[in-house]
Amino acid sequence: MGNTGSRSPDAVNFRMDGWLLLSAGTLLTAGFIALASASLELGERDYGNSFFFLTRQAVAALIGLSGAVLAYQIPSRFWARLGLLPMLLAIALLVLVLAPGMGREVNGSTRWLTLGSPISVQVSEPVRLMVLMFVAGYAQRHAAALQQGVGALLKPVILVAIVAALLLGQPDFGYAALIMAMSVGVLFVAGARFRDVSALALACGAAFAVLAWTAPYRLARVNTFLDPWSDPLRSGWQLTQSLMAIGSGHLSGAGLGAGVQKLFYLPEAHTDFIFAVIAEEAGLLGSLALLAVFALLVARVLAVARASARRKRMFQAYFALGLALCIGLQVLVNLGVNMGVLPTKGLALPLVSYGRSNLVVTLVSLGILLRIDRENAALEPGRPSRSRR
């Protein structure tokens, strides 16, 4: 039977944001097309299977979509009530991956927790979701205190700083900075004073600058970023190849599959530098179209945040805001690295780059967001309910 008026946000009515689904689906499809183009030769050379990376990404997509469907069934108040638990789990995961015999080292970094061959998880991915849940819940419970003094801001930031320090121990500079920026952004919107956030941002910036300056490999990346052409055959190889790929795309690109730089010239062409492959094969027009879809996705996530705030559902609003910040910052950093605007950092292009942990967590996060949007719709006054009694 139908009824009118405000209802419980847990009413079982079916609602999906069409533009959000369209943007996420388009990016996921574009990612598979770009991955097929970028990885076929690499898969054949290294594993004797041209579809090695594509198959693994497809399995991750199925897992992520299944997780998103499950997350869509869970009322968002469940996540809001977890309190400190997500942060404790995040810290435990980061400690576990650094424990002897637990973490798997790849290219000098111990970021993957092995769960049995061939399953491994890049722990920074679930950690960013857990930290977001904690920060959104804290911001909801302590919004008034955040407006009154720096103490309420420092309490969650200290815990986030512990997470960042453990990430730096892997080392994973990119995700440490991403999680810190996401958390401080949510706390600022929740009511933290501008002077407190500014002082904290300056302190974090100085700390990251010192870390970059004192670590030889990070300093080398900064020097390469400043002048990649000073050593284009060694330290500047990756960035110069990326710039050549982007530049050779011109207006309309070389055509799907016709790119040259992916043919063992551009390292990590299927992961961190997949945008360079897209730019070479789809050109400026294709690159701008991809950016437009990302902008639409972030805009729809922010629309869910605004709708939640209007209904005084502040955990849901802060969660959606944090997710928009996380996606947006990943896109900006990834594109900045590909174009030589930022020093090299290992951040994936959401829903597009090869990266199974990133894909699964991003899809699950969007599943939670769709649940929040559905609950917001259930609270609209005068909207007929589709729930069955």
Side-chain angles (χ1 to χ4, degrees):
M1 297 291 294
N3 66 340
T4 60
S6 297
R7 299 176 299 280
S8 165
D10 295 333
V12 187
N13 61 311
F14 181 81
R15 182 188 189 276
M16 290 284 187
D17 185 321
W19 287 112
L20 194 153
L21 287 174
L22 177 64
S23 57
T26 300
L27 290 170
L28 188 61
T29 302
F32 273 104
I33 294 172
L35 179 60
S37 178
S39 68
L40 293 180
E41 290 82 2
L42 183 63
E44 180 64 32
R45 184 194 69 178
D46 292 348
Y47 300 97
N49 179 4
S50 298
F51 298 99
F52 177 83
F53 295 103
L54 201 61
T55 302
R56 290 161 73 92
Q57 187 81 338
V59 172
L62 290 175
I63 295 172
L65 290 171
S66 299
V69 171
L70 177 61
Y72 184 75
Q73 306 303 318
I74 300 174
S76 61
R77 57 186 169 82
F78 171 81
W79 311 111
R81 292 174 178 176
L82 293 179
L84 188 61
L85 181 60
M87 180 59 80
L88 296 178
L89 289 175
I91 294 174
L93 270 178
L94 291 170
V95 171
L96 189 62
V97 78
L98 293 174
M102 297 300 298
R104 180 167 63 92
E105 183 176 332
V106 178
N107 296 330
S109 298
T110 309
R111 303 176 184 176
W112 288 264
L113 184 64
T114 302
L115 304 178
S117 181
I119 302 174
S120 61
V121 176
Q122 185 176 348
V123 294
S124 56
E125 298 295 350
V127 161
R128 67 179 168 91
L129 178 57
M130 293 173 186
V131 171
L132 175 55
M133 287 180 177
F134 163 74
V135 171
Y138 182 92
Q140 176 199 29
R141 295 188 300 271
H142 301 281
L146 284 169
Q147 300 173 26
Q148 296 172 2
V150 70
L153 175 64
L154 289 178
K155 289 177 182 177
V157 166
I158 289 172
L159 290 174
V160 176
I162 292 173
V163 168
L166 289 169
L167 284 167
L168 289 170
Q170 295 181 359
D172 194 340
F173 189 91
Y175 271 100
L178 173 69
I179 288 174
M180 183 63 74
M182 175 190 72
S183 301
V184 173
V186 170
L187 293 169
F188 175 65
V189 173
R193 298 180 301 185
F194 178 76
R195 66 188 185 195
D196 297 335
V197 172
S198 298
L200 179 61
L202 288 173
C204 289
F208 282 122
V210 170
L211 288 169
W213 189 263
T214 54
Y217 79 94
R218 293 193 187 110
L219 183 59
R221 285 184 176 180
V222 173
N223 291 332
T224 298
F225 155 70
L226 294 174
D227 188 8
W229 300 101
S230 63
D231 190 7
L233 298 180
R234 290 170 37 178
S235 62
W237 176 265
Q238 190 170 41
L239 181 52
T240 56
Q241 297 301 313
S242 176
L243 293 174
M244 284 191 284
I246 294 172
S248 62
H250 301 293
L251 184 64
S252 57
L256 181 62
V260 174
Q261 298 304 120
K262 67 188 181 184
L263 301 176
F264 313 125
Y265 293 106
L266 177 62
E268 308 298 336
H270 62 306
T271 55
D272 299 342
F273 283 83
I274 199 167
F275 175 75
V277 176
I278 294 172
E280 183 180 11
E281 299 188 351
L284 177 62
L285 295 178
S287 300
L288 291 176
L290 182 70
L291 292 180
V293 180
F294 270 119
L296 175 60
L297 176 64
V298 172
R300 294 315 304 163
V301 177
L302 287 174
V304 175
R306 289 193 297 269
S308 299
R310 286 197 302 268
R311 293 162 176 78
K312 307 301 180 184
R313 307 179 70 228
M314 299 316 297
F315 169 82
Q316 291 79 0
Y318 296 141
F319 179 90
L321 171 66
L323 182 58
L325 284 172
C326 192
I327 293 173
L329 288 172
Q330 284 185 85
V331 173
L332 289 176
V333 171
N334 183 276
L335 268 60
V337 167
N338 276 251
M339 294 186 291
V341 179
L342 295 172
T344 302
K345 289 287 172 289
L347 289 182
L349 193 58
L351 300 172
V352 176
S353 295
Y354 175 76
R356 293 170 295 166
S357 298
N358 181 273
L359 181 58
V360 169
V361 171
T362 300
L363 289 172
V364 170
S365 300
L366 291 174
I368 297 173
L369 183 81
L370 287 169
R371 173 69 193 209
I372 293 172
D373 182 54
R374 160 183 156 180
E375 293 171 354
N376 289 340
L379 292 172
E380 291 182 12
R383 187 183 184 95
S385 173
R386 299 178 187 175
S387 56
R388 296 181 179 273
R389 301 289 181 180

